[in-house]
Structure formats: structure tokens, C-alpha cells
Amino acid sequence: MRGQFAVAGTLTDGSTALAVDRFAIQSLCYRVINGQLHVAERADTLAALPPVAEVDPQSLFDYLYFHVVPSPRTVFRGVQRLPAGHVAVFRNGQLAVQPYWVPRFEETRQPDFAALADEFRSTVKDAVGRQLDGGKPACFLSGGTDSSTVAGMIGLAAGRPAATYSIGFEAEGYDEMAFARLAAQRFGTEHHEYYVTPDDLVRSIPTVAAHYDQPFGNSSALPAYYCAKMAREDGVTRLLAGDGGDELFGGNARYAKQRVFGWYDAVPAPLRSGLLEPLLERTPLGGLPLARKGRSYVEQAKVPLPDRMQMYNLLLRLGIRDVFTADFLSGVDLDGPLHQQQGVWNLVRDASALNRMLAFDWRYTLAEADLPKVCGTTALAGVAVGFPFLDEALVDFSLRLPTAYKLKGLKLRWFFKEALRGFLPDEIITKKKQGFGLPFGVWANRHAGLKQLATDSLHSLAGRGIVRREFITALLERHLAEHPGYYGEMVWILMMLEQWLQTWDARRHTAAA
């Protein structure tokens, strides 16, 4: 099978097989009750079957760690979600789950840039064409390289300009509408804009939180919803999205950052352990202003991947024991998320560090976070969605692309940008990545209704015995005002958790009755 799919069927020996596509664009959940396998697209559908499933404390911990509940867990005890690129076989009452597709990076040894660039542009155009449904050709447009490429390629594939839909914010440092307009002008699109307001958030936060089958904390979901809603009201039946370009072609800043840390591995071991580390970590020199950066670099560089990528994890920086109650922590495995990530990391071995990071992000950034964000919000708005960059031919092309073409020195997605130079406006090629980032923390400090919704939600959550009440109080009364961008993210994920729990409480009582 190709493309996006979720299938369940009976094999010739009477066993049942389940499978989802490479990126789990289509979701499939399962639950075994009294020896029978039950399957559904949504986890909450299965959880509502008798006996009604309980919320899993480990999954709540995972949610605050990842801001989503990564597969194979769901928020419900005993309900599982099939991970991307996996197959499950249910035979004689036993369920076996394993990957059927693991990325194999077979890099071109003597690359011809011109030939690869021609192939790339042609492959992108064909991928975009395969995602169109014959209706009004349309796409999200943030003004970044991915969405702008999709917008331009729609014009080539469809033979007419795309309809493009963009979201803006009246908040300094968050609005990218100027770049979206630049792309719209370049490709002559039928361009539509909507500026999300704090009042929009107050109205839609409960609706969006309740729509998901489990807690979902990606704050870009709200802008994506309003963008899809605008398109649906304009008669669009299918939107194309640019998700995947960064993860296929090396566009995230963390790839360059981790390469810098990787350079430490080239330092001879005797020099590392005999001089640098003792000098910076165990002498007063390491505390001097000029040496502190060196000490921090060494401390981080010593941590292997993928563990090192979580050193700035929001939950870990705030302090697990400062956030959660002691009773709650007694029932969870604090190392569970890290062990799961290590298992995913180790699936791909014969590849460069960069390619292993890309494959890692295909699971955690795309399959677990960004794709559910877009799929969930477009479904809520009543619009279908397609992801051209996740087309099988384009993914396979990326597997052949040399590592140095994805990250040239510290230049992100070098090949992608050079291959599209002249097609995309130079201003978009050189801009920093942003997307539909939401200024929630800034608005929560200024807008009374939004602040009240957040405050009520977090105080209600504090009564559930999960998060310490003292942490909630400090977060709302001190930290949010001091650093709205940083602490606003934690307020958001806690608020969305409580909003979802309130919805489930009502549904659980109905199911139990």
C-alpha cells in the first residue's frame, strides 16, 4: 500500500492484521477486552466501551514531557495507538506489534547537483499534483519555504494559481504575514488572510481541546483551525500543507546545534578526560564568565544522542518534582519517555547523526505532533488535508540525498533552498523558520478573558492531585508575567489538559450510566 492509510483485515489463517502508513497520517487504535480485539480511529471511542477505561497516570506524565501522548500509549490505560510504519497481528488472543518500515539512508556517493535539483523539482511538482482532489486547489501559507513551495507548485501542477490561506497575529515578533504576502504575490495566488485574536482563543480553546481523542498541547493547533475554517467557508474541500520539509531536508535549527556538539567527539579522548573536563568541571576556572560557556558546551556534548536533545525540555528545566505532586509521581516511571526515545533512535543505525535525527523527528515531530495537529484541526473545520512532502517518492528521494546536501556546514536545508533559488523569493529562502506560532503568553497577560480561562483551568487541574498547587500559583502569579513566551507554553499545555479532562469526565459519566 502507498500513501496515507490505516487498515484492519483478516489474514488467511484467521488472525487479524492492523497497519498504518509510514507517518501514521491515518490513526488506528486498538484495545483487547476479554480476548477480543477492538479497533477504532479514535482512542476515546475504545475507552468508552465497557468496562470504561481509566486515564493512565504514565500517559499524563508523558503528555507534560512531550506536550502530546506519543504512541504506542494513549491517555487511556489498556488502549494503544499503532505507531507510524508499524503492523500489529492479533493471533490466538496475543498481539504482536513491530515496524514494517524503517528508513534506510543510502546516500548518493557522487552527487550531481544539477541533476538532483531537476529531479527534486519534478518530484515535488508530481507529489503536489497527486494530492489535489479536482476541487479548488488550495493550501496553507505561512510564508515559510515549505508552504510557499507548495503554493507555487500547485500553480504548476493544477494549471491555475492556488488559493492560499494565512493566519496573522497582532503581536510583535509573531506575525509573518509579510512573507505570506510575498509568496502570494510571486505565484499570483488567490490570497486570503485572517488575524486571530485573543477573543477567538477564548471561544475556540474548549472546542479544539474537546475535539481531540486525548490531550493535545501543540499551541499551533488554534491558528491551524482558524486557517482551515477560513478555507472551508471559502468553498475549499481539501487543503495541502507543507509539513515534512524541514524533517526531510534538514531545516530545523537543532540539527546545526547538535552538529556543533558532535564536534566534541573529534577531540582526542586523552585531551577530553585528562585536561578539558577536569579543568572546566572541577576547578574554579569553570566558573569564570569566559569559561562558563565552555563548561556548558562540554557538559552537553558529553551526553549522547538522543538524550542530549532533551536537555532543554520544558518540564525538565522547570523540575519534575516541583511540577508534580509526590503522590502522582509515585505511580509513574520518570525515565519512561527517555527509554522510549532511545528505542526509536536505535531503530536507525547505519546512518549519519543528522539522518538519525531526521528519522527520529519523523516519529516525534511529525507523526506524534505536527500531523495530528493539522489532521485534527482540518477535520474539525470540515476540510480534508494532504501532505505532499510526505509523498513516498519524495521521501525516498530524501533518503538518497547526501548528508552534506541537507546540512552544509551549519547551513540548514542547503540543497532544498539552492534547488528552489529563483523559484522562491530570496527573502523567503533567507528568512528564519517560524510558522503559525501563537502569542498565547503575551495575550494571556493582556486579555482578561483569556487570563481568566487559563486561571480557572489551571486551578481546576490543581484539584486533581496531578500538579502541585504551589507550582500553579507561582506559574500564574509570577512566572507568566516575567517571561510570557517561555512560561506561557506550560500554561497552555496545562490548560489544554484540563479542558480535555473536563470533556472526558462528562463523557465517562455518560458511558458509565
Side-chain angles (χ1 to χ4, degrees):
M1 297 190 65
R2 303 172 68 88
Q4 55 192 66
F5 62 84
V7 295
T10 302
L11 304 181
T12 54
D13 65 356
S15 59
T16 301
L18 318 175
V20 293
D21 61 75
R22 292 177 172 189
F23 296 94
I25 299 172
Q26 299 290 333
S27 177
L28 198 60
C29 300
Y30 53 91
R31 181 185 181 190
V32 178
I33 304 175
N34 297 327
Q36 289 189 319
L37 179 67
H38 299 261
V39 181
E41 181 181 5
R42 296 176 60 95
D44 54 358
T45 300
L46 298 176
L49 296 176
V52 177
E54 296 294 327
V55 169
D56 182 7
Q58 183 67 49
S59 297
L60 296 180
F61 178 80
D62 291 355
Y63 168 78
L64 264 72
Y65 186 100
F66 292 104
H67 305 182
V68 299
V69 181
S71 61
R73 290 185 186 276
T74 71
V75 73
F76 303 106
R77 186 179 282 118
V79 180
Q80 305 289 305
R81 188 183 306 274
L82 198 58
H86 276 60
V87 61
V89 176
F90 186 68
R91 180 181 290 115
N92 299 325
Q94 299 297 314
L95 192 70
V97 181
Q98 65 183 39
Y100 68 83
W101 181 75
V102 174
R104 291 186 60 187
F105 294 89
E106 298 178 342
E107 301 183 28
T108 302
R109 294 186 179 277
Q110 295 181 321
D112 180 330
F113 173 81
L116 285 171
D118 286 343
E119 181 185 356
F120 170 69
R121 290 189 292 267
S122 176
T123 305
V124 174
K125 176 188 170 184
D126 291 344
V128 168
R130 281 190 286 271
Q131 289 292 336
L132 297 174
D133 67 353
K136 187 175 186 177
C139 66
F140 292 96
L141 180 60
S142 69
T145 51
D146 293 328
S147 63
S148 299
T149 298
V150 172
M153 289 294 179
I154 285 177
L156 298 179
R160 58 171 169 149
T164 50
Y165 299 87
S166 301
I167 291 298
F169 310 100
E170 295 290 355
E172 185 178 353
Y174 288 87
D175 188 46
E176 282 197 307
M177 195 65 83
F179 292 102
R181 291 168 182 163
L182 192 63
Q185 183 178 14
R186 165 63 66 91
F187 300 118
T189 72
E190 177 193 307
H191 189 54
H192 305 264
E193 300 176 357
Y194 183 80
Y195 272 77
V196 174
T197 68
D199 286 327
D200 288 329
L201 298 193
V202 174
R203 283 192 296 269
S204 59
I205 281 171
T207 302
V208 172
H211 175 72
Y212 282 90
D213 62 345
Q214 61 183 355
F216 189 74
N218 189 323
S219 60
S220 294
L222 269 294
Y225 167 63
Y226 274 98
C227 201
K229 183 172 179 287
M230 173 173 50
R232 183 69 187 94
E233 292 169 352
D234 194 44
V236 170
T237 56
R238 184 175 180 85
L239 273 170
L240 302 194
D243 297 81
D246 282 320
E247 291 74 23
L248 262 64
F249 297 100
N252 290 314
R254 58 182 170 273
Y255 304 146
K257 181 178 181 179
Q258 294 304 327
R259 172 165 286 183
V260 171
F261 286 126
W263 291 341
Y264 188 66
D265 294 335
V267 178
L271 183 58
R272 292 201 308 262
S273 59
L275 178 63
L276 288 176
E277 292 167 16
L279 191 65
L280 291 171
E281 296 178 341
R282 296 193 289 273
T283 72
L285 177 64
L288 297 177
L290 290 178
R292 275 202 294 266
K293 286 189 176 181
R295 178 177 179 175
S296 175
Y297 171 82
V298 168
E299 288 174 345
Q300 293 181 71
K302 287 168 57 180
V303 178
L305 290 171
D307 305 23
R308 189 166 65 224
M309 289 190 285
Q310 293 298 331
M311 293 189 73
Y312 285 91
N313 179 288
L314 179 59
L315 176 61
L316 301 183
R317 301 289 286 185
L318 294 176
I320 289 174
R321 300 189 186 282
D322 292 326
V323 174
F324 293 104
T325 66
D327 285 347
F328 176 81
L329 288 179
S330 66
V332 302
D333 177 5
L334 304 188
D335 295 324
L338 193 57
H339 290 158
Q340 188 202 65
Q341 290 175 90
Q342 290 167 347
V344 171
W345 176 264
N346 288 328
L347 286 174
V348 178
R349 293 186 176 274
D350 297 328
S352 66
L354 173 65
N355 281 334
R356 294 183 78 181
M357 279 190 282
L358 298 183
F360 184 84
D361 277 353
W362 294 357
R363 172 72 174 270
Y364 286 105
T365 301
L366 290 177
E368 307 291 2
D370 287 352
L371 301 184
K373 172 196 71 179
V374 181
C375 291
T377 53
T378 51
L380 179 59
V383 182
V385 65
F387 302 96
F389 283 115
L390 303 184
D391 182 271
E392 192 165 314
L394 195 51
V395 173
D396 291 345
F397 175 86
S398 78
L399 294 172
R400 294 188 282 113
L401 204 62
T403 293
Y405 272 34
K406 298 170 183 174
L407 183 61
K408 194 174 185 68
L410 297 178
K411 293 180 180 178
L412 298 168
R413 62 193 306 170
W414 175 81
F415 171 81
F416 187 105
K417 292 179 178 180
E418 292 304 314
L420 293 174
R421 192 174 293 280
F423 180 74
L424 293 177
D426 287 343
E427 296 90 339
I428 289 177
I429 287 177
T430 57
K431 72 178 284 295
K432 290 184 178 180
K433 175 179 170 60
Q434 188 167 322
F436 290 152
L438 182 70
F440 170 74
V442 175
W443 284 350
N445 280 321
R446 299 175 182 172
H447 188 274
L450 191 56
K451 181 65 176 289
Q452 191 64 52
L453 176 62
T455 300
D456 291 346
S457 298
L458 266 62
H459 282 309
S460 178
L461 180 64
R464 296 180 183 272
I466 301 168
V467 178
R468 296 178 68 240
R469 192 174 294 277
E470 299 87 346
F471 173 75
I472 295 293
T473 301
L475 186 63
L476 291 171
E477 296 182 1
R478 186 170 73 252
H479 298 319
L480 182 61
E482 293 172 348
H483 300 288
Y486 185 74
Y487 290 106
E489 186 70 11
M490 178 55 73
V491 174
W492 176 270
I493 64 173
L494 292 173
M495 177 182 65
M496 295 303 281
L497 172 59
E498 175 59 23
Q499 288 292 318
W500 184 88
L501 286 171
Q502 289 178 14
T503 300
W504 174 246
D505 286 344
R507 185 174 177 187
R508 177 168 54 87
H509 291 315
T510 300

